[in-house]
């Protein structure tokens, strides 16, 4: 279970702490479906629906992908790839899984060529993920890798190696899949992209990489049930109410920190979730991320002594997967034999406490998030926790947490400019 520690934020409350009454009202609005964007709250029941619906097909298709080659090219942008990539980089490719290569998330020719070179001559499949099939970045990325499939295997075999995750009934990608016979999985109509990781959008690539997606789904079902309790002990209430209180006190930026480098893409997923959900109507904390300890020697100066408009949220894993003891040397030339024999995890825990004390003393509120362990169950717990807390925080802020009207502005301009080529 996720635990939230507000001891590093409490000194900044002043006379008024987190508004748990507002958190309760937001939770009621969400569960009753009476708030803005209620048509997009299907993520609350998504794990159960997947278990009873597409999960067996996901597992069988992932098996076929693993038998067909050594790599799966995952083509998508935003919520269509961030969740799967977060899980993949956090938990790692398993011994029986394929390598995931992510494409279609930008327009850099250098990156595209690097992914093609990384793929090399290996046998591969493609999972293209797009609700419409017309979003420019993944549509162009798909064109490239579909072309490579056809050159390598011919059109018929290429079609057997393409898997589409898209709208249930309409759109350009759904139409193409029907014409070519590509197996399809559903992007649910009632789930926005940034909330879709527990659908086939995230689960198919994760399963192909050998991750235990059945454990992910079972843990997500349990997590959402546990997080539905309606009192101040709910960690989602604590996190949402704390960050909204600090926002009202003038804090404008929230930095999410973790002491595990493999968490980097999880932080990117979190940034999209909170940035798209809350950044509207001139409101919202700006979500940023740092990697500790490395960034303590770069961004640490700004956090400690820069403008006091920051919240620092630090995620730690209670039970690390592995340890390593510091070796001893007879000459002790660096003077560090006193830590010899101690595990790196012990030292990291002390460093984290030292950082917290220094930053709080320097005027930065600290919110701690503890996850039991870094595995499929921990991943599922984080997803459910952050999704629910985000929805509550958005309603507390007075915005629709499930739309993203600002995202369309650049798309309209881009297609207008590209229209000159017609």
């Amino acid at each position: 279970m996720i635990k939230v520690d507000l001891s590093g934020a409490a000194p900044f409350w002043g006379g008024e702490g987190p508004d748990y009454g507002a958190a309760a009202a937001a939770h009621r609005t969400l569960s009753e479906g009476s708030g803005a964007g209620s048509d997009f709250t299907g993520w609350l029941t998504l794990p159960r629906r997947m278990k009873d619906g597409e999960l067996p097909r996901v597992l069988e298709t992932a098996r076929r992908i693993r038998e067909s080659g050594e790599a799966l090219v995952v083509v998508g942008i935003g919520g269509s790839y961030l969740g799967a990539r977060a899980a993949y980089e956090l938990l790692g490719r398993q011994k029986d899984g394929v390598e995931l290569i992510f494409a279609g998330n930008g327009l850099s020719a250098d990156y595209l060529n690097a992914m093609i070179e990384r793929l090399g001559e290996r046998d591969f499949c493609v999972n293209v993920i797009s609700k419409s099939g017309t979003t420019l970045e993944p549509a162009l990325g798909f064109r490239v890798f579909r072309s490579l499939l056809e050159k390598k295997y011919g059109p018929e075999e290429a079609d057997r190696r393409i898997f589409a995750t898209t709208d249930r009934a309409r759109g350009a990608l759904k139409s193409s899949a029907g014409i070519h016979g590509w197996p399809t999985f559903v992007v649910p109509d009632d789930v926005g992209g940034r909330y879709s990781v527990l659908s086939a959008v995230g689960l198919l690539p994760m399963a192909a990489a050998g991750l235990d997606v059945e454990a992910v789904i079972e843990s997500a079902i349990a997590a959402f049930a546990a997080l539905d309790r309606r009192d101040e002990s709910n960690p989602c209430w604590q996190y949402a109410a704390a960050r909204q209180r600090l926002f009202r006190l003038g804090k404008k930026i929230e930095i999410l920190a973790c002491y595990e480098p493999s968490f980097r893409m999880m932080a990117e997923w979190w940034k999209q979730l909170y940035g798209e959900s809350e950044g509207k109507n001139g409101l919202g904390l700006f979500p940023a991320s740092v990697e500790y300890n490395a960034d303590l020697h770069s961004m640490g100066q700004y956090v400690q002594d820069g403008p006091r408009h920051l919240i620092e949220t630090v995620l730690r894993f209670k039970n690390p997967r592995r340890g390593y003891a510091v070796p001893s040397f007879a000459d002790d030339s660096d003077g560090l034999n006193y830590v010899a024999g101690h595990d790196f995890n012990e030292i990291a825990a002390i460093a984290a406490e030292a950082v917290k004390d220094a930053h709080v003393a320097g005027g930065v509120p600290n919110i701690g998030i503890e996850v039991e362990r870094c595995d499929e169950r921990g991943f599922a717990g984080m997803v459910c926790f952050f999704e629910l807390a985000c929805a509550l925080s958005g309603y507390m802020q007075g915005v629709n947490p499930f739309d993203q009207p600002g995202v369309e502005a650049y798309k309209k301009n881009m297609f207008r400019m590209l229209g000159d080529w017609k």
Side-chain angles (χ1 to χ4, degrees):
M1 188 59 186
I2 304 286
K3 294 183 179 179
V4 172
D5 176 12
L6 299 181
S7 62
F12 301 88
W13 300 148
E16 179 187 348
D19 187 349
Y20 290 118
H27 205 154
R28 190 162 53 249
T29 296
L30 178 66
S31 62
E32 293 174 352
S34 58
S38 60
D39 290 346
F40 288 91
T41 57
W43 49 274
L44 286 165
T45 58
L46 184 56
R48 173 64 64 183
R49 287 154 56 193
M50 285 301 301
K51 180 180 179 180
D52 297 338
E54 281 194 323
L55 186 58
R57 282 190 62 232
V58 166
L59 295 171
E60 173 58 23
T61 302
R63 182 191 63 77
R64 286 176 52 196
I65 291 170
R66 292 195 298 271
E67 291 176 350
S68 297
E70 301 171 77
L72 174 67
V73 179
V74 182
V75 179
I77 195 168
S80 294
Y81 92 104
L82 281 171
R85 187 167 181 180
Y88 181 66
E89 296 199 4
L90 183 70
L91 304 178
R93 171 188 178 186
Q94 303 305 297
K95 62 181 180 181
D96 62 338
V98 299
E99 180 181 356
L100 300 185
I101 294 174
F102 295 93
N105 49 66
L107 296 172
S108 166
D110 281 347
Y111 177 85
L112 177 64
N113 278 285
M115 293 304 100
I116 294 171
E117 291 164 5
R118 181 171 164 181
L119 182 62
E121 297 302 316
R122 291 180 293 174
D123 287 319
F124 71 101
C125 296
V126 172
N127 178 205
V128 54
I129 307 167
S130 175
K131 191 163 181 63
S132 67
T134 58
T135 301
L136 187 67
E137 296 92 341
L140 294 182
F142 180 47
R143 275 183 168 239
V144 170
F145 285 95
R146 182 183 169 192
S147 171
L148 292 176
L149 278 175
E150 292 189 354
K151 288 177 182 176
K152 187 177 181 70
Y153 301 108
E156 290 186 9
E157 177 62 19
D159 283 341
R160 286 191 283 269
R161 290 174 174 270
I162 294 173
F163 305 88
T165 308
T166 187
D167 190 87
R168 185 183 302 275
R170 59 187 180 275
L173 182 54
K174 177 66 176 177
S175 176
S176 293
I179 293 169
H180 294 278
W182 305 330
T184 61
F185 294 87
V186 176
V187 180
D189 288 337
D190 57 357
V191 178
R194 59 188 178 276
Y195 289 86
S196 68
V197 61
L198 297 179
S199 72
V201 169
L203 295 178
L204 179 57
M206 290 162 59
L211 300 181
D212 187 352
V213 297
E214 290 178 288
V216 169
I217 286 299
E218 290 292 350
S219 299
I221 291 170
F224 273 136
L227 293 171
D228 194 45
R229 66 177 183 266
R230 309 299 175 94
D231 59 53
E232 296 178 13
S233 68
N234 188 324
C236 294
W237 286 28
Q238 294 167 356
Y239 180 50
R243 57 198 304 280
Q244 284 300 317
R245 172 61 180 153
L246 293 166
F247 179 70
R248 291 195 300 273
L249 290 172
K251 304 304 179 183
K252 303 297 184 185
I253 299 170
E254 180 179 11
I255 54 173
L256 180 65
C258 185
Y259 287 81
E260 292 295 338
S262 62
F263 188 81
R264 184 178 69 86
M265 289 307 300
M266 194 77 200
E268 294 298 315
W269 172 84
W270 171 86
K271 282 157 64 174
Q272 187 204 5
L273 180 65
Y274 280 79
E276 278 196 345
S277 297
E278 293 190 321
K280 51 199 73 166
N281 303 337
L283 299 170
L285 284 155
F286 181 84
S289 61
V290 289
E291 179 191 310
Y292 288 164
N293 285 70
D295 280 341
L296 292 170
H297 297 262
S298 54
M299 294 299 293
Q301 173 61 43
Y302 185 95
V303 176
Q304 188 71 49
D305 288 338
R308 301 298 76 186
H309 55 194
L310 300 176
I311 301 170
E312 182 180 52
T313 298
V314 181
L315 187 143
R316 298 290 311 281
F317 293 101
K318 180 180 179 182
N319 298 300
R321 284 178 289 187
R322 293 180 290 182
Y324 199 97
V326 176
S328 177
F329 288 102
D331 60 11
D332 194 24
S333 58
D334 57 8
L336 289 174
N337 265 356
Y338 71 97
V339 297
H342 289 279
D343 194 274
F344 268 74
N345 291 316
E346 294 180 77
I347 300 168
I350 292 172
E353 285 302 310
V355 171
K356 175 183 174 180
D357 289 349
H359 289 178
V360 171
V364 179
N366 179 286
I367 299 173
I369 297 174
E370 182 184 87
V371 181
E372 187 71 22
R373 59 184 72 252
C374 186
D375 60 8
E376 283 90 344
R377 290 168 176 81
F379 172 79
M382 285 188 288
V383 167
C384 296
F385 166 78
F386 279 126
E387 286 183 345
L388 181 55
C390 183
L392 300 184
S393 184
Y395 278 144
M396 291 174 71
Q397 186 175 271
V399 301
N400 179 350
F402 307 116
D403 67 353
Q404 53 281 340
V407 173
E408 301 304 316
Y410 96 89
K411 292 182 181 179
K412 291 177 181 177
N413 285 344
M414 180 171 62
F415 280 114
R416 175 177 54 80
M417 295 174 182
L418 287 172
D420 293 339
W421 292 3
K422 290 182 179 179

